[in-house]
Each structure stands twice: as structure tokens, then as C-alpha cells.
């Protein structure tokens, strides 16, 4: 009889232990599920992004005098365009800095423009910031890109004027017959065009920027009485005054550049409307 009672007691104790373990496991699972749900709610899902323009600019400059900025375009719930760059205290963009490009290419075999293009393409392909591919020679840039894009995706831009605030870019798909490819960047603040950047890169050397090419400037000035830099300055000034690329004044001696400038600025600003 004592053996039977002992056996029953053992069975009951085992059942109680199993029930306790089961209850403990269920409690842990519930806690984990709750934590996961809270984390998902705290982080905005890129899969549910609303169509529009998103923009962010870092508050502080780094030790080298640069800070990142990014505009993200969302259409049909997907990221379709990303415009990323660094701006310095003088209001210049890193991807338009020929000297910086040469120095970076010599050290890391890549340029700010190459890195920015690769990162933008990776995000458009992956659609998730944390899955963006690394770029060899630009580790710090990759981290800055991920941070500022994540911040931008929290900040949808509303219209404040003719254009939405942000950084907007356009670059030609092909090099022209002379081996040059034009690129433009426009910054909009408070609904107005505040600055514009323009240059052309060479097919054989992506650190060879036309505005910094002394030989090209000398030859152009001999033929047309104007240099690429002077043409850009006149076009930039006219754009900021007129606030409309179609109304930009023609620059004598740079007819082709004027038309190309107006076309590309219009393309860049098409994302700001």
C-alpha cells in the first residue's frame, strides 16, 4: 500500500513540475512575442511607407567639416530614388569636389560619387536600410548613409512652396561623343531653390571634372570667350533668381551647356513637386 501511495505521489509531483515548466515556457514565449511586437511598432516599417518625399540632414558637421543628407522618394509603397551626399560648412557637396574625389580614389580606389551611387542602387534593390550592401573603401560612408536614410524615412516632406525641401539629383545615363557625362544637384529649402551644383565627369577618368580641368577651360575660352566655370556660375545665378529651369537665361558661348543644364535641373526637380 505504501508503495502505491509513493508511486501516486511521484506521478503527481512529476505532473506538477511539467505543468510549471509548461507555464514558464508559455510565459517566456509571451514575453518574447510582446518584446518583438514592441520593437516592430517602435521601428517604422519600410513596407508600409506612404508615397512621397522623405528628407533628413545631420545636425552637426563631423571632424572634417562634412555632414550627410539624404532624400528618399517612395512611389507605390516602394523606394524608387535615393539622393545622398555630404555638405560642408561652405555649402559645397562632396560628390562635386574634384580634389576630394582624387584623394579618395588614390587611397581607397573609389570616389564619393561611386559610393553614393552604389549605396542608392543597393537600397532601391533591397528596400531595407539594414540590408544595404557594404562598399569597399567607404565603410564610414556606408554607416552614415544607413543612419541618415533611416532618419529621413521618419520625416515625410510637405509642400512649403513651389518645391518640397530636400536634395535632388540627376545624372546623364551615357557619356557624350566627347567623353563627358553631366550631373546636377539641387537643394531646396523653405520651398525654394537655395543652391545648385553642376559638373561633368570624364569617361576615362572619373576624378576628372570639367569645371576643374584647366586645359579644357583654356581651350573653351579661346573658342567661345567663356569657361565652364563661368557658364555654370551664370546658369546657377539665373536659376536661383528665376526659380524655374525653363526660364534660365541663355549663356553666350555655352548654348549646348545651357540647354543641358535646363533639362537636367528640370529632371532633378521633377521629384520635388
Amino acid at each position: 500500500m505504501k508503495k502505491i501511495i509513493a508511486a501516486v505521489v511521484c506521478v503527481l509531483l512529476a505532473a506538477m513540475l511539467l505543468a510549471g515548466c509548461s507555464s514558464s515556457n508559455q510565459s517566456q514565449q509571451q514575453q518574447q512575442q510582446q518584446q518583438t511586437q514592441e520593437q516592430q511598432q517602435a521601428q517604422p516599417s519600410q513596407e508600409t511607407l506612404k508615397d512621397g518625399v522623405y528628407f533628413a540632414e545631420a545636425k552637426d558637421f563631423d571632424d572634417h567639416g562634412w555632414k550627410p543628407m539624404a532624400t528618399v522618394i517612395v512611389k507605390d509603397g516602394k523606394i524608387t530614388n535615393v539622393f545622398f551626399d555630404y555638405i560642408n560648412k561652405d555649402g559645397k557637396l562632396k560628390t562635386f569636389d574634384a580634389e576630394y574625389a582624387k584623394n579618395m580614389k588614390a587611397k581607397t580606389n573609389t570616389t564619393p560619387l561611386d559610393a553614393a551611387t552604389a549605396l542608392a542602387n543597393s537600397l532601391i534593390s533591397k528596400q531595407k536600410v539594414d540590408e544595404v550592401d557594404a562598399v569597399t573603401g567607404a565603410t564610414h560612408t556606408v554607416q552614415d548613409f544607413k543612419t541618415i536614410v533611416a532618419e529621413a524615412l521618419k520625416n515625410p516632406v510637405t509642400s512649403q512652396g513651389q518645391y518640397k525641401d530636400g536634395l535632388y539629383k540627376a545624372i546623364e545615363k551615357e557619356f557624350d561623343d566627347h567623353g563627358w557625362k553631366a550631373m546636377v544637384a539641387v537643394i531646396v529649402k523653405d520651398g525654394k531653390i537655395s543652391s545648385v551644383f553642376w559638373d561633368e565627369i570624364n569617361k576615362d577618368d572619373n576624378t576628372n571634372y570639367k569645371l576643374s580641368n584647366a586645359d579644357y577651360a583654356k581651350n573653351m575660352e579661346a573658342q567661345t570667350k567663356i569657361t565652364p566655370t563661368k557658364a555654370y556660375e551664370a546658369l546657377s545665378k539665373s536659376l536661383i533668381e528665376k526659380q524655374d529651369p525653363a526660364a534660365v537665361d541663355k549663356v553666350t558661348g555655352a548654348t549646348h551647356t545651357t540647354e543641358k543644364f535646363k533639362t537636367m535641373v528640370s529632371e532633378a526637380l521633377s521629384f520635388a513637386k
Side-chain angles (χ1 to χ4, degrees):
M1 185 65 179
K2 291 182 179 180
K3 291 183 179 180
I4 295 175
I5 293 173
V8 171
V9 170
C10 289
V11 171
L12 290 173
L13 288 173
M16 291 174 64
L17 288 172
L18 287 173
C21 291
S22 177
S23 176
S24 177
N25 289 335
Q26 288 179 354
S27 177
Q28 290 178 355
Q29 290 176 355
Q30 289 175 350
Q31 290 178 354
Q32 291 175 352
Q33 290 176 352
Q34 184 176 355
Q35 289 176 352
T36 300
Q37 290 175 351
E38 289 176 351
Q39 290 174 353
Q40 290 175 344
Q41 290 173 356
Q43 299 176 353
S45 173
Q46 292 179 211
E47 297 177 355
T48 58
L49 285 172
K50 293 182 179 180
D51 290 4
V53 177
Y54 297 78
F55 174 70
E57 178 179 346
K59 294 181 180 179
D60 301 315
F61 294 95
D62 62 22
D63 294 338
H64 302 287
W66 297 95
K67 64 178 179 179
M69 60 196 309
T71 297
V72 181
I73 309 297
V74 176
K75 185 177 181 180
D76 298 328
K78 298 291 184 180
I79 295 172
T80 59
N81 301 86
V82 184
F83 307 118
F84 169 77
D85 217 315
Y86 288 86
I87 191 167
N88 67 11
K89 295 179 180 180
D90 296 324
K92 306 299 183 182
L93 293 184
K94 187 180 285 188
T95 60
F96 286 79
D97 189 325
E99 183 177 358
Y100 196 104
K102 289 181 180 179
N103 292 334
M104 184 173 176
K105 182 72 174 288
K107 294 179 180 179
T108 67
N109 200 36
T110 192
T111 68
L113 180 61
D114 289 341
T117 301
L119 290 167
N121 289 339
S122 180
L123 178 57
I124 292 169
S125 174
K126 301 296 180 61
Q127 291 292 308
K128 290 185 179 295
V129 176
D130 57 359
E131 293 182 7
V132 168
D133 296 322
V135 176
T136 302
T139 303
H140 183 67
T141 301
V142 173
Q143 186 56 51
D144 283 344
F145 176 86
K146 290 182 176 181
T147 300
I148 200 65
V149 167
E151 185 65 26
L153 290 173
K154 301 175 185 177
N155 297 295
V157 180
T158 56
S159 298
Q160 295 179 322
Q162 185 176 357
Y163 307 107
K164 294 179 180 179
D165 287 6
L167 167 70
Y168 303 94
K169 292 185 174 186
I171 186 168
E172 288 186 307
K173 295 180 180 180
E174 305 293 341
F175 291 93
D176 63 22
D177 294 338
H178 302 287
W180 295 98
K181 179 190 291 187
M183 59 182 183
V184 68
V186 182
I187 294 178
V188 177
K189 287 186 177 181
D190 299 324
K192 293 184 177 181
I193 298 169
S194 63
S195 53
V196 59
F197 306 86
W198 167 270
D199 214 323
E200 297 186 46
I201 54 176
N202 189 267
K203 182 178 182 179
D204 298 323
D205 180 5
N206 63 354
T207 66
N208 180 6
Y209 285 35
K210 185 178 282 188
L211 266 62
S212 302
N213 190 313
D215 290 335
Y216 192 99
K218 182 178 180 180
N219 293 332
M220 181 175 175
E221 188 171 30
Q223 297 177 17
T224 66
K225 308 301 180 183
I226 194 169
T227 66
T229 298
K230 290 180 180 178
Y232 156 68
E233 289 173 348
L235 292 167
S236 175
K237 180 180 178 181
S238 181
L239 176 64
I240 293 173
E241 289 177 351
K242 304 292 182 60
Q243 291 291 306
D244 180 3
V248 167
D249 296 323
K250 178 182 175 181
V251 176
T252 303
T255 303
H256 181 65
T257 300
T258 299
E259 293 306 314
K260 186 183 290 189
F261 177 87
K262 292 165 70 172
T263 298
M264 296 193 65
V265 170
S266 296
E267 180 183 338
L269 288 174
S270 67
F271 299 102
K273 297 180 178 179

